[in-house]
Amino acid sequence: MTVAAAAKAKEQPTLRRSVTPWGSFSWGYSDVGADIFVGLGLVLGAAAGASNVAFLFAGMVYVCIGLAYTELAAAYPVAGGGQYFVYRGLGDIFGFIAGWAVLLDFTIDIVLFAWSCIDYLSKLPILPILSYTAHPWIHFIVVFVVIAWLAGLNVWGVRESSAFNELVSGLDVVSETAILFFGFLFAFDPALLAHTMAAAWPTPFNLMNGVSLAIISFVGLESISQAAQETQRPASVIPRTSISLILTILIFALAYSNLSLGMHTWHAIPPDAHGHPQMLWHYLGSEENNGAAVAVLASNVPYWGALAALYVPVLGAILLLISSNSGVFGSSRIAYAMSRAQLLPSIFQRVSPSRRTPAVSIVAFCSVATVELIFAALPSLSPGVHAIYAHLFRGEDGITFLGDLYAFGAAASYSLVFIALIALRLRDPQSPRKFKMPINIPFVYKGNRVEFPVVAVIGFIGIMSILVFTMITHEIGRIAGPSWIVLGVIGYIAYRKRKRLPMFHSQPRDWKKAQIAILQEAGELELMDEYLANVKAMKLQAPPGAPKP
Amino acid sequence: MRSPAYVRMRGITGALLIVAGATIAVRSIGVMGADARAIVPVVMGALFVAAGFLRVRDYLRLRSGDA
C-alpha cells in the first residue's frame, strides 16, 4: 500500500467496534426471538395438529443454517454476512443475488415487524385507546412513523441502538421463559398433545404451507453476521453467541408449538364464528388471533396468565419493534458491504463522518421498506385494490404478502450460502476456522487437504425443499419474489456496464491481502499469524506450476 | 469476573432445565408410546436437557475459576 493510499484509508470513516458478546446475541435474538410472535399463529392456522412438526422441520434446517453462518462469520468477520460469503465463495453475480435477496428480507423485516408491533399494541386491554390503531389509515400512518423513527435512531449510532436491543432482549428471554415455565408446569398434557396431533393432522399441502411459514420464525441469524464487523474479537465471540442463539430459539419455537397443541386452557375457549366449540390451537390460528397468538396463549396459562394478559402485548410489541430495528441495521450494513465490493453504487458506502454510521444506506432502505408498506397496506386502504388483490392473489392480505416475500428471500439467500460454504472450504482452506460445522469428510483437492461439510449438503437440501414449498403454496411469493431478483439483476448489469466492470464474471481480487486486512481490523492477530503460516505452508507444499493459493 | 449470584443462577437454571427436559421426554414416551409423533416432544425435551447441560458445565467452569 502506498503512503497516499494508506493516508486515504485512514481518513475514510469505518464502522466502529462497539458491539459486545451480549450485544451480538441481542442483535440476533431481537431479530429471531420476535419471529415466534408473528409465526406461531400463522403456522397454527396452516399446519394445525402438525404445527410442532412444521417447526421441527424448519428448526432442523435452521440449525444447519446457523452452523453455516457461525463458521463463516467467525472466519470472515465483515459487515455483509451471507452476501459476503456468497460473493467470496461464488463470485460477484451470485454475491449480488444473495445480497439482493437478503436486502429484500431485511426491508420486509422492517415493515412486517413494525406492522405486527402495532397489532400487538392494539390488543392491550388496559389502554383501549390503542385499539384505534386497528383502523387501516391510522395503522398505516403509525407504522410509517415507527419506520421513520427507527431510521433516525440508526443514523444516530450503533452504540445507542445496541443498548436498546440488549435491554429488551434480556427482558424478553426472562418473560418467554416464565410463560413456558407456568404453561408446562400447570397445563401441559402429553395425552392432549397426542390427541390433537392425531385428530387435526393437516393435508400435505397445508403441511408444506406450514413448514414454509415456520421458516419465518427462524430468520435472523444474519444479524449476528451483520454485526460481525462491529463486534469486539468476532472470531471468538461469534461462535459462542451463535450457538446460544440457535439453542434458545429452537427451544422456544418447539416449546410454544407443543404447548399450543397440548395445553389445557385456564379459561374456556369461546366458540368459533359458527358457534362450534374449538380447541386452543384453532383459536390461536384463527384470523381473529393469529396476529397476536403468543399474547392469547400467554393469557390462557394458569396463574401467570392474569399478569401475562397485561404485559405480553407490550412485550410482544417491544420485541417486534427491536426486530424491526434489526432490519434497519441489517439492510444498511449489507448495502454498505455490497457497495464496497462494487455490487451497488458507491453512495451506499458513505459513512457519516460525525456518527460513523452508513446514513445513506439507512435512509435508502427504509424508503424501500416504506414502498413495501404501501403495497401491503393498499388492500385495506382501498376497496378497488382489495378487489385486484382478491382476483390475482386469492385475497391474501397485507401481512401475508409480507410473510410470503420474507420466506422467499430467506430461502433463496440461504441456499446460496450453503453452496458458498462448500466452495470456500475447497478454495480457501488456509483461512483459520475457529468453529467448523460438524461431520466433515477429509480429502485432497488441488494438492490441498480440505474437509467436505456433510451438514451443509443436508442443510441445502432442507432449505431448497422449503423454497419449493414456498413457491408451491404462496401466490405472491411465487410472483413478487423472483420479480425482485430479476429487477435487481437488471439494475446490477446496468451499473456494472456503466462502470465498465465485468457483468457476469468476477473482478480479480487479492483475497489473501483482504483476509489479512479483515483479521487485522478485527483484532484477531493470532488468527492472522495462523493464516499467514497456512499460506506459507501451502506454497511450500504446492508442486511447481500449481495455482497460487 | 462473574458475581457469585450469577454463577449460582447458572447452576440452578441448568439443573431445572435438565429436570424439565427429562420429565417432558419421559412423560411423552409414557403417554404416546412408540407413536412416531412422540418424536417432537422428545426432541424438545432433549433440547431442554442439552441447554441445561451447557449451563451446568458453565457453572462448574466458573466455580472452579477457569473462565
Side-chain angles (χ1 to χ4, degrees):
Chain A
M1 194 187 275
T2 63
V3 175
K8 197 180 170 191
K10 205 175 175 183
E11 278 169 20
Q12 192 177 14
T14 54
L15 301 172
R16 65 183 177 211
R17 290 193 178 272
S18 60
V19 179
T20 60
W22 172 243
S24 172
F25 177 88
S26 306
W27 273 119
Y29 184 81
S30 60
D31 206 355
V32 199
D35 293 348
I36 193 73
F37 281 81
V38 178
L40 183 66
L42 294 175
V43 176
L44 285 167
S51 295
N52 52 357
V53 176
F55 274 110
L56 181 65
F57 184 86
M60 291 297 115
V61 176
Y62 157 76
V63 168
C64 298
I65 297 165
L67 293 173
Y69 267 83
T70 304
E71 175 176 328
L72 292 166
Y76 310 103
V78 291
Q83 179 276 324
Y84 179 81
F85 311 141
V86 176
Y87 159 66
R88 187 151 172 176
L90 303 178
D92 291 11
I93 180 87
F94 286 106
F96 172 80
I97 293 171
W100 195 242
V102 174
L103 270 175
L104 170 69
D105 252 21
F106 274 124
T107 54
I108 293 283
D109 190 282
I110 299 168
V111 191
L112 180 64
F113 291 104
W115 180 296
S116 297
C117 164
I118 305 306
D119 283 351
Y120 264 83
L121 274 184
S122 69
K123 302 274 179 194
L124 192 64
I126 52 169
L127 279 175
I129 193 167
L130 291 174
S131 63
Y132 287 113
T133 56
H135 185 278
W137 273 104
I138 297 175
H139 190 276
F140 172 74
I141 291 165
V142 174
V143 174
F144 174 74
V145 169
V146 168
I147 293 171
W149 176 68
L150 290 177
L153 187 73
N154 278 271
V155 168
W156 185 249
V158 68
R159 191 182 295 273
E160 289 76 5
S161 307
S162 290
F164 175 66
N165 277 0
E166 287 168 28
L167 174 72
V168 180
S169 295
L171 283 175
D172 187 70
V173 171
V174 172
S175 297
E176 286 204 36
T177 307
I179 294 166
L180 293 175
F181 176 78
F182 279 87
F184 276 101
L185 192 64
F186 295 112
F188 180 69
D189 179 359
L192 179 60
L193 175 68
H195 169 75
T196 308
M197 289 181 76
W201 194 259
T203 61
F205 182 88
N206 285 341
L207 184 56
M208 281 195 288
N209 190 13
V211 172
S212 65
L213 289 168
I215 196 68
I216 291 174
S217 308
F218 298 109
V219 179
L221 267 175
E222 189 79 21
S223 297
I224 288 189
S225 308
Q226 294 296 313
Q229 189 156 336
E230 294 164 57
T231 301
Q232 299 154 358
R233 297 298 307 272
S236 318
V237 168
I238 298 289
R240 223 170 32 177
T241 53
S242 290
I243 301 295
S244 308
L245 187 65
I246 291 167
L247 205 53
T248 308
I249 296 300
L250 193 58
I251 284 175
F252 280 165
L254 288 179
Y256 271 110
S257 55
N258 278 306
L259 196 59
S260 302
L261 297 177
M263 189 179 93
H264 293 288
T265 56
W266 199 25
H267 311 291
I269 298 292
D272 67 10
H274 306 289
H276 301 134
Q278 56 183 339
M279 293 175 76
L280 176 66
W281 67 267
H282 192 253
Y283 184 56
L284 297 176
S286 66
E287 208 171 309
E288 173 197 356
N289 294 311
N290 66 4
V294 173
V296 179
L297 172 73
S299 67
N300 278 290
V301 167
Y303 312 114
W304 191 259
L307 182 64
L310 302 176
Y311 84 82
V312 173
V314 181
L315 172 78
I318 294 172
L319 194 67
L320 290 160
L321 185 67
I322 58 174
S323 190
S324 183
N325 189 40
S326 294
V328 180
F329 177 85
S331 61
S332 61
R333 266 48 175 191
I334 217 167
Y336 173 87
M338 288 174 77
S339 175
R340 288 187 74 147
Q342 291 186 299
L343 304 178
L344 282 179
S346 59
I347 193 167
F348 293 109
Q349 62 177 300
R350 273 192 207 159
V351 174
S352 157
S354 56
R355 306 305 314 171
R356 295 181 68 181
T357 52
V360 175
S361 295
I362 290 168
V363 173
F365 289 99
C366 283
S367 303
V368 174
T370 306
V371 173
E372 290 163 354
L373 168 65
I374 292 167
F375 272 103
L378 269 176
S380 59
L381 299 177
S382 157
V385 177
H386 185 268
I388 294 169
Y389 273 49
H391 179 67
L392 293 177
F393 308 126
R394 289 190 203 168
E396 285 192 348
D397 57 6
I399 199 93
T400 318
F401 165 79
L402 296 170
D404 285 2
L405 285 182
Y406 200 48
F408 174 85
S413 61
Y414 290 155
S415 305
L416 288 173
V417 168
F418 281 121
I419 302 174
L421 184 132
I422 296 167
L424 285 167
R425 282 279 189 95
L426 302 180
R427 286 189 198 160
D428 184 26
Q430 307 95 328
S431 285
R433 288 161 168 84
K434 278 200 103 170
F435 174 84
K436 265 188 187 172
M437 291 179 93
I439 315 175
N440 298 294
I441 302 171
F443 68 102
V444 176
Y445 175 75
K446 289 188 178 175
N448 297 323
R449 191 178 163 76
V450 296
E451 289 180 296
F452 186 82
V454 177
V455 176
V457 177
I458 297 168
F460 177 75
I461 294 167
I463 197 68
M464 278 305 289
S465 59
I466 289 178
L467 184 61
V468 171
F469 294 166
T470 307
M471 302 286 270
I472 291 172
T473 58
H474 297 279
E475 295 278 323
I476 297 180
R478 190 187 309 159
I479 297 164
S483 303
W484 169 268
I485 300 290
V486 169
L487 284 175
V489 170
I490 292 169
Y492 168 82
I493 290 170
Y495 164 70
R496 299 276 285 199
K497 198 173 176 187
R498 193 164 56 82
K499 288 281 171 188
R500 296 176 192 278
L501 296 168
M503 285 181 280
F504 297 104
H505 297 286
S506 303
Q507 292 187 80
R509 285 190 177 84
D510 188 346
W511 288 121
K512 184 184 147 195
K513 200 170 162 185
Q515 186 65 6
I516 292 167
I518 287 167
L519 294 174
Q520 195 171 27
E521 212 262 313
E524 297 287 0
L525 300 180
E526 284 172 22
L527 290 185
M528 192 182 77
D529 291 342
E530 193 184 329
Y531 176 69
L532 289 170
N534 290 346
V535 170
K536 201 175 169 185
M538 282 187 180
K539 265 185 189 169
L540 289 174
Q541 281 173 8
K548 285 180 184 177
Chain B
M1 192 64 190
R2 302 292 192 181
S3 71
Y6 173 87
V7 176
R8 251 196 320 272
M9 277 304 288
R10 299 292 289 182
I12 293 167
T13 53
L16 281 174
L17 275 168
I18 291 170
V19 172
T23 309
I24 289 168
V26 171
R27 276 197 67 199
S28 299
I29 292 169
V31 171
M32 298 170 87
D35 191 332
R37 285 182 276 239
I39 196 163
V40 187
V42 170
V43 168
M44 187 186 73
L47 281 170
F48 273 55
V49 173
F53 171 76
L54 289 177
R55 290 180 91 86
V56 169
R57 197 183 63 171
D58 213 19
Y59 160 75
L60 293 172
R61 210 165 40 198
L62 288 167
R63 200 182 59 165
S64 64
D66 290 349

